[in-house]
Amino acid sequence: MLLDIRRGQQPVIKIAKKELKLFFASPIAYLFLGVFIATTLFIFFWGESYFSRNISDVRPLFEWMPVLLIFLSAALTMRMWSEERRSGTLEHVLTLPVSSWQFVQGKFAACKILLLVALLLTLPLPITVSLIGNLDWGPVVSGYMATILLGAAYIAIGLFVSSRSDNQIVSLILTVVLCTVFYLLGSPVLLKLVSNETAEWLRFLGSGSRFESITRGVLDIRDFYYYISVAAAFLVLNRYSLEKDRWADDGDKKHHNRWKFSSLLIIANLLIFNLVLSPVSALRLDTTEGQMYSISDATRGYLNQLQEPLLIRGYFSAKTHPLLAPLVPEVQDLLKEYAAESEGKIRVELIDPATNPEAEEEAGSKYGIRPVPFRVADRYQSAVINSYFNILIQYGDEYKVLSFQELIEVKAQGESDLDIKLRNPEYDITNAIKQVLYAYQSGGNLFNSIQASVQLTAYVSTEDKLPESLLALNTALQSVLENTRDKSNGKFAFKFIDPEANDGAVAQEIAENYGFQPMASSLFDLSTFYYYLVLSNDEIAVQIALPEEWNEDSINRALESGLKRFASGFTKTIGIVAPQPNPYAAQMGQPSPASFGALQQMLNENMTTKNVELSSGKIPEDIDLLMVLAPENLDERSVFAIDQYLMRGGTLLLASSPFLAQLQQQGLSANTHVSNLEDWLAHHGVSIGKSLVMDTQNSAFPIPVTRQVGMFAVQEIDMLDYPYFLELRDAGLSQTNPVTSGLQQLSVPWASPITLDASKNAKRSSVVLAKSSGTTWLSDDLDINPKTREDGSTGFDVGAFVGEQSLSVVLTGRFRSFYSGKESPLLKREAAETQEEEKTEGTSEDDKEVLSNIIEHSPESARLIVIASNSFAEDGVLRLQSSMAGNNYVNPLQFVINAAEWSLEDEGLLSIRSRSHFNRTLPPLGDKQRQFWELLNYGLAIVSLLAIYLVVLWRQRMTRANYQKILSTLITTDADANSQKGVHA
């Protein structure tokens, strides 16, 4: 070694090489690495039940790493100094012309390399997971970085302990104890016994709590420095321990004291700087895909709209449920980021109501915030604690409260094994800010939220051609428009145009641009007229439908509904057409109709939903988007209402199929389903096949199976692959359209294939939002229950594959009315009605004249979204899918809400809505596939160990060969020298 130092080689490198050679010189090294990787794989596949967990991530790998690293680091370091001290070589080492710091660095580097080798053996796990499902590599990289940093801290602790003992076993035990103390400081085992404030300090000190922060995908400079400071502090202690062994008892006391003081000063500075960095939350990097834990541009856009201070107040109890306690600092850090991003527009307050009676009284009386009772248990007793976990968002006099049920997401892995995480904190908070912001703006002047000037053009015939009833409407309209113009601050103007003037030039123009055709007051009235209202700016044009009531209030409401399309910050209204619940269906033994309560509830978080009745033949003027879900036997007036809504440039979302499947107590049933929209869809180039799509890529389903035991039939519930529940992944979801680009997975139940007529859609934009896999076949069998095969097994026989099938499409562009050239259904009379009866009965004064027109075609802004399933986003199916997933399954709801916001050009939250901890599910895997991936990892571990052994063996042989070459060279040189001496002699 002295020769190497004189030659200028780095002592640290030589010391590290020496330790590595000693480690791999015996079979213990390979046994140790084998035990580590075997334990890791066992925990991953068996302890954490990875495939049963059904999440495409490697969190189970890192969740146990803080515990495994304790034993790994202790085993790596236990002999480093203890063996030197036991064998008596420590004194020789301390007398070498190499500093003690270089020895410490060399041994530390050797242990770090061994740790990296052990971690390298686990690398096949994330690689195979990424091959199975859609893995977010950000938390994986962060997890390995956290493991390396935590391992460095534990190794430094182990080296210090080893330097103080000559017994390897004692070093092993003391290292395990000391590292365990650091880990337990921030663990839930200890935190649930103390208050929230004390728990914050313990998390600050605990190595395990810091580890969790990094492994979730957030690289925080505070966590990095914590591990570096702990490692550096114990390395300084290690060096001081070695230097102390060099001192004689009667040595220079001043020199010894300087060493003590300088070492303590360095350690104190290293550790105290953690307190300096503690309030700094901006220096961090979010490595998750989609920046799950960071403020997004969408959020910044809403914060920029704030004109007044906004209050965010967090109500968090000091004592709460142990599973909720770790989430509190995550929420608090995020709230601080909101305050920092808002540049003073947001004030954040964190309150413990238990210590502030006035705040608690205000929370209960003013905001309706109440504590939630949680049952907790420790080793001594079981108790109930009343805890707050709420966030208040207040802007002006508008506010919204988020409870813990709205903020968390639960993954049930067993009856008592729950995994609780924040659902999507940025989305929840930003959504609440958006709601209170828009609600506050809605109470002010509408034109404050309109950027560009808007003009209303009234295409109205002259008064001599208008029906008498419309003359009064004309007067009311004129009054409303003048009042609106006066309070618009110059942003609103209007004008009346007679379409029939100048030989009908304008009439021809609006027929081409908007599809406007002359109106008639009755089927037999030959006189026609025009009465259309269009709002427009430089970008879009919106038709205002005539209100039901012809008075100033109704006209004003219709005008405001149209103006809101040009304003930012106003809640949109969605019309829902869905089957009405029948409370007596169950009593009469009939299946309940499809219900969409969960969808309406989720839509109401950002918008306003309204149930729409189509039988009148008109859609209310305040409807911004129309959703028709599982329609059945629509009459002609209903179809006409849908048609004309689309012709006005609206967006229609239709979920329909020729089959309706229902969940009943005795099993599954399917029946043919007629919507009466089939011809209307075909007219627009959309055909929904009269068959059900079945796919080998499907979700499991709890199927009632009847087993025959002699003469007795036993009905059981069995989990089977259910080909009617189509499982769509990245390849089956459009990555170019905002509706599906953020979704990782989507299940479509009992769907039919969609075919687009290319000739009718040549001038429209069409996108397939969702499609099945290539291993798809079709079936028109109404028996959707599994079949019992000859061998006694239960399942479905695979049919002839027909390739990918479109399940959802969106069409954008100009649509021609289904009623173009036909009579208006609103002017038709029932066949039994005759003109004589009409004259006899007369018309009361309260009856209002029926006006009808047919808009021939839509503007380019019209959109039609079709989902070929009656059960898509249906309550019963969602409950079933949630129970199977172990968490609240909302992907179908997200699909519909994404479609709504994209259609309404309100895409602010689209980029952050789909982010969730548990939305990256694994694709459906059979037992053989699961066994294959598990055995593959075991095999790769064995191959990796063998590769390490071969590399070490090759290096040893190369070293021996080099030594032999050097030795032979020296022998030859000596022989030549001796022979030359003999010649001279």
Side-chain angles (χ1 to χ4, degrees):
M1 183 176 291
L2 290 177
L3 180 62
D4 293 332
I5 295 172
R6 293 190 188 101
R7 288 177 178 173
Q9 294 193 11
Q10 291 290 335
V12 174
I13 298 176
K14 297 302 297 181
I15 294 169
K17 285 184 177 179
K18 171 209 165 191
E19 296 297 338
L20 290 174
K21 288 178 182 178
L22 291 175
F23 182 78
F24 287 107
S26 67
I28 297 177
Y30 305 100
L31 180 62
F32 163 73
L33 291 175
V35 170
F36 172 75
I37 186 61
T39 304
T40 302
L41 291 175
F42 176 80
I43 291 175
F44 188 84
F45 288 110
W46 291 79
E48 294 292 333
S49 303
Y50 174 71
F51 290 112
S52 175
R53 184 171 173 268
N54 197 37
I55 302 295
S56 181
D57 64 8
V58 289
R59 280 181 53 208
L61 170 65
F62 297 112
E63 283 180 345
W64 284 87
M65 201 58 75
V67 177
L68 294 178
L69 282 179
I70 292 175
F71 298 96
L72 174 63
S73 302
L76 289 176
T77 59
M78 66 180 185
R79 54 162 292 278
M80 286 294 176
W81 292 113
S82 297
E83 182 63 20
E84 301 273 13
R85 190 181 293 276
R86 187 195 64 79
S87 61
T89 58
L90 182 61
E91 291 78 3
H92 173 67
V93 168
L94 296 178
T95 59
L96 292 174
V98 180
S99 69
S100 57
W101 182 241
Q102 288 176 317
F103 272 108
V104 171
Q105 285 181 295
K107 290 181 178 289
F108 179 75
C111 293
K112 286 292 293 180
I113 293 173
L114 293 172
L115 172 64
L116 292 175
V117 171
L119 293 179
L120 188 64
L121 295 175
T122 66
L123 195 56
L125 266 178
I127 293 176
T128 53
V129 170
S130 68
L131 295 175
I132 298 173
N134 184 16
L135 176 66
D136 185 354
W137 277 96
V140 178
V141 174
S142 301
Y144 276 109
M145 293 182 67
T147 304
I148 293 171
L149 290 171
L150 179 59
Y154 284 168
I155 287 171
I157 294 172
L159 287 174
F160 166 70
V161 172
S162 179
S163 68
R164 304 309 305 155
S165 174
D166 60 358
N167 189 304
Q168 296 185 32
I169 302 302
V170 173
S171 297
L172 173 69
I173 295 174
L174 290 179
T175 300
V176 169
V177 170
L178 190 54
C179 291
T180 301
V181 169
F182 271 90
Y183 171 72
L184 289 177
L185 284 176
S187 69
V189 176
L190 186 60
L191 296 182
K192 68 181 182 180
L193 303 176
V194 297
S195 66
N196 197 31
E197 183 177 352
T198 305
E200 284 300 307
W201 279 101
L202 293 178
R203 289 193 196 94
F204 177 77
L205 299 173
S207 60
S209 54
R210 299 272 190 169
F211 186 86
E212 292 177 2
S213 177
I214 302 178
T215 54
R216 66 190 176 100
V218 178
L219 303 181
D220 196 321
I221 188 66
R222 296 172 295 182
D223 299 327
F224 274 61
Y225 181 78
Y226 168 80
Y227 289 120
I228 293 172
S229 64
V230 171
F234 277 95
L235 289 178
V236 170
L237 285 174
N238 190 355
R239 185 188 183 189
Y240 173 76
S241 174
L242 295 178
E243 286 294 330
K244 187 177 179 182
D245 288 337
R246 287 181 173 182
W247 300 340
D249 293 337
D250 57 350
D252 187 354
K253 299 297 183 182
K254 292 184 178 180
H255 174 72
H256 300 169
N257 290 333
R258 283 197 299 270
W259 261 97
K260 291 180 182 178
F261 178 76
S262 60
S263 297
L264 290 174
L265 185 61
I266 293 173
I267 294 172
N269 279 279
L270 285 170
L271 299 179
I272 291 175
F273 196 67
N274 281 285
L275 298 175
V276 177
L277 286 178
S278 178
V280 180
S281 59
L283 299 178
R284 66 175 200 151
L285 176 65
D286 189 347
T287 64
T288 58
E289 187 177 328
Q291 306 291 299
M292 182 179 294
Y293 299 100
S294 300
I295 299 298
S296 65
D297 292 337
T299 296
R300 294 188 185 96
Y302 291 115
L303 298 184
N304 291 334
Q305 298 180 37
L306 295 175
Q307 303 296 326
E308 298 184 10
L310 181 140
L311 171 66
I312 302 181
R313 182 181 294 159
Y315 294 92
F316 302 108
S317 295
K319 188 72 173 177
T320 188
H321 194 281
L323 294 177
L324 292 179
L327 306 183
V328 174
E330 292 184 34
V331 176
Q332 292 176 346
D333 285 347
L334 185 60
L335 295 182
K336 292 175 184 177
E337 282 198 44
Y338 273 87
E341 288 286 347
S342 69
E343 299 178 352
K345 295 179 182 178
I346 292 180
R347 185 175 82 255
V348 173
E349 298 178 357
L350 302 174
I351 295 176
D352 179 5
T355 61
N356 192 331
E358 293 181 0
E360 186 172 24
E361 181 183 1
E362 181 189 36
S365 60
K366 186 175 181 179
Y367 305 115
I369 299 175
R370 299 283 191 275
V372 178
F374 294 107
R375 183 174 181 179
V376 297
D378 55 30
R379 57 180 298 186
Y380 298 111
Q381 62 179 352
S382 176
V384 175
I385 59 173
N386 294 287
S387 175
Y388 287 89
F389 194 102
N390 306 85
I391 297 177
L392 168 70
I393 314 290
Q394 184 173 13
Y395 186 66
D397 55 354
E398 300 289 339
Y399 68 88
K400 181 174 177 61
V401 176
L402 299 174
S403 65
F404 82 96
Q405 295 98 330
E406 297 172 280
L407 292 168
I408 68 171
E409 190 174 20
V410 181
K411 173 74 175 178
Q413 300 176 188
E415 293 184 359
S416 59
D417 188 6
L418 300 178
D419 191 3
I420 295 180
K421 296 292 179 184
L422 290 173
R423 181 180 64 180
N424 191 339
E426 186 195 0
Y427 171 77
D428 294 324
I429 297 172
T430 300
N431 185 29
I433 292 176
K434 173 186 174 183
Q435 291 181 45
V436 297
L437 172 64
Y438 284 9
Y440 182 78
Q441 290 179 349
S442 299
N445 190 344
L446 173 62
F447 288 95
N448 290 338
S449 301
I450 296 178
Q451 304 300 323
S453 297
V454 181
Q455 177 175 281
L456 182 137
T457 304
Y459 297 100
V460 178
S461 297
T462 57
E463 291 188 356
D464 59 308
K465 293 187 177 181
L466 293 177
E468 186 175 347
S469 56
L470 282 181
L471 295 178
L473 175 64
N474 231 15
T475 303
L477 176 63
Q478 187 78 26
S479 175
V480 169
L481 295 179
E482 289 175 355
N483 291 333
T484 304
R485 181 185 57 191
D486 293 341
K487 63 181 181 182
S488 68
N489 299 322
K491 293 184 179 179
F492 177 76
F494 67 90
K495 61 181 178 180
F496 282 78
I497 296 178
D498 179 9
E500 297 174 285
N502 298 326
D503 298 327
V506 176
Q508 184 178 354
E509 180 183 345
I510 62 177
E512 292 176 357
N513 293 338
Y514 306 116
F516 294 163
Q517 296 297 319
M519 294 183 178
S521 59
S522 68
L523 187 63
F524 305 104
D525 191 354
L526 299 179
S527 61
T528 58
F529 57 91
Y530 287 86
Y531 208 107
Y532 295 95
L533 307 178
V534 177
L535 277 171
S536 63
N537 58 13
D538 295 335
E539 297 180 359
I540 62 172
V542 176
Q543 183 196 357
I544 299 180
L546 295 181
E548 294 292 331
E549 300 294 332
W550 293 349
N551 52 53
E552 289 192 14
D553 290 339
S554 299
I555 296 172
N556 194 55
R557 285 195 299 269
L559 180 60
E560 285 190 357
S561 297
L563 287 171
K564 288 180 180 179
R565 296 289 299 273
F566 298 85
S568 62
F570 284 89
T571 303
K572 308 300 183 182
T573 301
I574 296 183
I576 303 290
V577 179
Q580 295 301 311
N582 183 1
Y584 304 105
Q587 300 177 8
M588 300 174 63
Q590 298 177 356
S592 300
S595 60
F596 299 89
L599 175 60
Q600 284 194 254
Q601 182 179 355
M602 199 165 184
L603 285 169
N604 281 326
E605 293 180 2
N606 303 309
M607 311 166 193
T608 300
T609 62
K610 179 186 293 186
N611 292 322
V612 174
E613 178 61 47
L614 297 177
S615 59
S616 64
K618 292 183 179 180
I619 304 297
E621 62 276 1
D622 60 340
I623 299 300
D624 299 302
L625 170 69
L626 183 64
M627 292 186 180
V628 182
L629 310 172
E632 183 176 12
N633 294 325
L634 297 179
D635 58 26
E636 191 175 16
R637 287 195 172 197
S638 299
V639 177
F640 180 75
I642 294 172
D643 177 88
Q644 291 298 285
Y645 178 80
L646 185 65
M647 295 309 109
R648 296 208 308 264
T651 297
L652 171 65
L653 186 147
L654 172 65
S656 181
S657 169
F659 299 93
L660 178 63
Q662 293 175 316
L663 304 171
Q664 301 178 7
Q665 292 183 351
Q666 61 271 24
L668 299 171
S669 66
N671 298 288
T672 56
H673 189 81
V674 178
S675 66
N676 286 339
L677 286 172
E678 294 82 6
D679 293 340
W680 183 84
L681 284 171
H683 171 77
H684 296 302
V686 180
S687 298
I688 301 179
K690 295 184 178 180
S691 58
L692 289 171
V693 180
M694 304 178 73
D695 198 339
T696 58
Q697 182 177 298
N698 57 70
S699 303
F701 193 78
I703 301 292
V705 177
T706 301
R707 179 167 54 90
Q708 200 69 29
V709 182
M711 300 296 294
F712 182 69
V714 179
Q715 191 174 61
E716 301 173 334
I717 301 296
D718 195 6
M719 287 294 299
L720 297 175
D721 288 340
Y722 194 61
Y724 292 103
F725 265 42
L726 311 177
E727 181 95 355
L728 309 186
R729 297 279 167 174
D730 291 342
L733 299 171
S734 172
Q735 300 303 308
T736 60
N737 191 285
V739 176
T740 52
S741 60
L743 292 176
Q744 304 294 331
Q745 178 270 347
L746 183 67
S747 290
V748 183
W750 297 298
S752 297
I754 297 177
T755 304
L756 296 180
D757 188 334
S759 62
K760 294 184 179 181
N761 291 289
K763 296 183 179 180
R764 286 195 287 264
S765 170
S766 61
V767 177
V768 177
L769 296 177
K771 61 183 178 180
S772 65
S773 74
T775 54
T776 296
W777 70 101
L778 303 177
S779 172
D780 56 3
D781 189 356
L782 293 179
D783 185 3
I784 57 176
N785 291 283
K787 312 298 189 296
T788 302
R789 303 187 181 97
E790 294 181 358
D791 60 359
S793 62
T794 304
F796 296 88
D797 295 328
V798 177
F801 291 153
V802 294
E804 296 176 345
Q805 299 294 308
S806 299
L807 308 175
S808 177
V809 299
V810 56
L811 303 176
T812 305
R814 176 170 293 188
F815 295 82
R816 178 157 292 277
S817 173
F818 179 67
Y819 293 91
S820 177
K822 300 179 182 179
E823 296 176 347
S824 170
L826 299 187
L827 299 179
K828 291 181 178 180
R829 299 290 188 264
E830 295 183 1
E833 208 173 345
T834 64
Q835 290 185 356
E836 291 295 331
E837 291 174 340
E838 292 178 8
K839 293 179 180 179
T840 303
E841 294 177 2
T843 304
S844 68
E845 294 182 357
D846 295 334
D847 290 341
K848 189 182 66 171
E849 189 172 9
V850 176
L851 301 181
S852 179
N853 65 295
I854 296 177
I855 304 176
E856 296 287 333
H857 63 76
S858 72
E860 296 291 338
S861 60
R863 287 171 175 167
L864 172 61
I865 303 172
V866 180
I867 307 168
S869 171
N870 285 308
S871 302
F872 189 79
E874 198 271 330
D875 290 343
V877 176
L878 285 177
R879 284 193 296 269
L880 187 62
Q881 290 175 321
S882 297
S883 65
M884 300 315 303
N887 62 294
N888 191 21
Y889 182 74
V890 295
N891 286 9
L893 304 181
Q894 288 181 352
F895 177 97
V896 177
I897 295 175
N898 288 350
E901 293 195 342
W902 173 69
S903 302
L904 298 173
E905 299 178 354
D906 186 12
E907 302 178 22
L909 297 176
L910 269 176
S911 58
I912 56 178
R913 172 178 288 109
S914 301
R915 300 187 303 183
S916 169
H917 289 279
F918 302 128
N919 68 352
R920 293 177 180 265
T921 58
L922 292 173
L925 297 172
D927 290 340
K928 292 184 178 179
Q929 290 174 299
R930 298 188 188 98
Q931 292 174 3
F932 166 77
W933 290 111
E934 184 176 352
L935 293 176
L936 177 63
N937 277 277
Y938 294 140
L940 290 174
I942 296 172
V943 171
S944 300
L945 280 173
L946 182 60
I948 293 173
Y949 170 76
L950 293 176
V951 170
V952 172
L953 183 62
W954 174 76
R955 289 286 300 172
Q956 290 174 346
R957 290 181 177 179
M958 290 291 294
T959 303
R960 291 195 195 100
N962 289 333
Y963 283 152
Q964 291 292 335
K965 186 182 294 184
I966 294 172
L967 184 59
S968 62
T969 302
L970 291 175
I971 293 173
T972 303
T973 302
D974 290 342
D976 292 342
N978 291 332
S979 63
Q980 289 180 4
K981 289 180 181 179
V983 170
H984 290 300

